[in-house]
Amino acid sequence: FIFVNSAAALAGMGVSSVAMPPAFPIWLAAAVAGGMAGAFCGSRLGRPAWMRPVLGAMLVIASAKFGLQLLL
């Protein structure tokens, strides 16, 4: 779903008069590299014993950042 949604958004930007940012290729490469690294770590190196606290910490950090954005 996320891939199809992102592809639709990029297609919409391509059709509209909005120009892609100059850093778009770098962002795309970073997203692909991060996805591949995450998939590798999750499938081969990940063990639920250490992944759950790491994912929990990530959710706490993301929630705090979102909460701060709402307050400011």
Side-chain angles (χ1 to χ4, degrees), residues 34-71:
M36 290 174 67
F40 176 79
C41 288
S43 66
R44 297 223 166 73
L45 302 177
R47 301 283 183 259
W50 70 268
M51 279 180 50
R52 286 185 182 168
V54 170
L55 292 175
M58 289 174 52
L59 286 172
V60 168
I61 292 168
S63 299
K65 286 177 63 175
F66 183 68
L68 286 175
Q69 286 179 350
L70 289 176
L71 292 176

Side-chain angles (χ1 to χ4, degrees), residues 23-38:
F24 179 75
I26 296 170
W27 296 342
L28 181 62
V32 169
M36 290 174 67

Side-chain angles (χ1 to χ4, degrees), residues 8-22 24 27:
L10 290 174
M13 282 186 70
V15 173
S16 71
S17 61
V18 177
M20 293 282 187
F24 179 75
W27 296 342

